[in-house]
Amino acid sequence: MEIVTSEFFQRALIGGLLIGVTAPLMGIFLVLRRLSMIGDTLSHVSIAGVALGFLIGVYPIAVGLVFAIAASFGIEKLRKAYKTYAELSLAIMMSGGVALASLLFTLGKGFNMNVNSYLFGSIYTLSSGDLYLIGAVTLVVLIAIRSQVKELFLITFDEDAAAVSGLPVRFYNVMISVLTALVISVSIKIVGALLVSALLTIPAACSLIIARSFKQSVISVVIIGEIAVVAGLLVAGVWNLAPGGTIVLLLIVILLLLLVFKRGMKMGS
């Protein structure tokens, strides 16, 4: 009970609850559009921005956010150039992000660069400024999805039909990429750049097992994300474990349990 009532844990819980909504919510759109690897790509580019932020003395998450948004536009440009091989855009951008991050980290060896907190997450060190930024991103994502849910649904399941019906497909593609970039940028301090993709994709994978409609997928993906975040933080706090890793492992446990349950239901019928 002592850790639950502490201020740093309460800040971590608030930040986790906010990301537990937005990351899985964006993840369901990415998974259904076969873009689940975009999380890894943008997180690696964000780390390059974080490194630059340390070097120039600017708020690292803000610089990482700018880098991720720029990368999201770059991915859309490359996807358009390589229509038949769209996944190349992710591979190219990820390679560039990793290369730039390694170069900047090398240049910053003489500086006090706490790299591990951004690679593996450091949710217990969230500041009030971090929470305001996460809250603002959460608000933007929820408003964007709520106001454009019908259009996003059509583009997610049939992009050609959306284009024929007159929807600005390119605009919505960029919008999804930018919203994903925002979520990833503010998530890396919570679960870390190396694990953030799991928070996007594993809840979506779980929802695809149990949901029978798009609406059910959206609801279940958020519930699963929130359960994993809250339970992961409590377990990590009590047993002094890495919060980001604990959250992701709990998501994997939930996925395995759902798969076993589904298999049992099939065998029973």
Side-chain angles (χ1 to χ4, degrees):
M1 288 300 296
E2 185 179 342
I3 191 171
V4 175
T5 56
S6 60
E7 187 178 344
F8 77 89
F9 187 86
Q10 290 174 358
R11 281 200 300 268
L13 188 61
I14 293 170
L17 287 172
L18 292 174
I19 292 302
V21 173
T22 54
L25 196 55
M26 291 309 305
I28 193 69
F29 289 104
L30 297 177
V31 169
L32 291 173
R33 301 189 71 207
R34 312 293 196 274
L35 287 172
S36 54
M37 289 304 295
I38 197 172
D40 278 326
T41 301
L42 293 179
S43 64
H44 283 78
V45 175
S46 292
I47 283 297
V50 167
L52 180 61
F54 274 113
L55 280 175
I56 62 177
V58 177
Y59 184 42
I61 293 180
V63 183
L65 191 149
V66 172
F67 267 53
I69 292 175
S72 69
F73 282 99
I75 288 170
E76 285 305 314
K77 286 284 187 182
L78 289 171
R79 283 184 66 205
K80 190 176 180 182
Y82 295 99
K83 289 183 180 179
T84 312
Y85 308 99
E87 70 278 4
L88 267 178
S89 62
L90 301 180
I92 293 169
M93 199 60 66
M94 182 187 289
S95 301
V98 171
L100 183 58
S102 64
L103 179 65
L104 291 171
F105 285 143
T106 303
L107 292 173
K109 279 184 177 178
F111 296 85
N112 183 23
M113 296 176 68
N114 189 9
V115 179
N116 286 337
S117 66
Y118 290 93
L119 290 176
F120 300 102
S122 183
I123 192 170
Y124 293 143
T125 63
L126 288 178
S127 64
S128 298
D130 293 332
L131 287 182
Y132 286 130
L133 182 59
I134 295 169
V137 168
T138 301
L139 190 61
V140 168
V141 170
L142 292 179
I143 290 173
I145 291 178
R146 181 66 184 88
S147 62
Q148 305 291 324
V149 66
K150 291 181 180 178
E151 292 81 0
L152 291 173
F153 172 82
L154 182 57
I155 284 178
T156 297
F157 286 98
D158 196 337
E159 191 170 308
D160 292 332
V164 170
S165 65
L167 284 179
V169 172
R170 187 180 178 188
F171 167 79
Y172 285 105
N173 284 335
V174 171
M175 182 179 120
I176 291 172
S177 295
V178 169
L179 291 177
T180 304
L182 291 173
V183 171
I184 288 173
S185 299
V186 297
S187 298
I188 57 175
K189 199 169 182 181
I190 293 177
V191 292
L194 301 180
L195 299 173
V196 68
S197 182
L199 198 56
L200 288 165
T201 56
I202 298 178
C206 293
S207 74
L208 293 177
I209 297 173
I210 59 177
R212 297 187 176 182
S213 67
F214 180 70
K215 184 178 180 180
Q216 286 183 7
S217 295
V218 170
I219 294 171
S220 61
V221 81
V222 171
I223 292 173
I224 291 166
E226 294 288 32
I227 289 172
V229 167
V230 174
L233 283 175
L234 290 172
V235 170
V238 172
W239 280 287
N240 195 26
L241 303 172
T246 306
I247 291 169
V248 172
L249 287 175
L250 278 176
L251 282 172
I252 293 174
V253 170
I254 292 171
L255 176 62
L256 292 175
L257 289 174
L258 288 174
L259 287 170
V260 171
F261 176 76
K262 183 180 181 181
R263 186 176 180 181
M265 291 290 288
K266 284 184 177 180
M267 291 178 67
S269 60

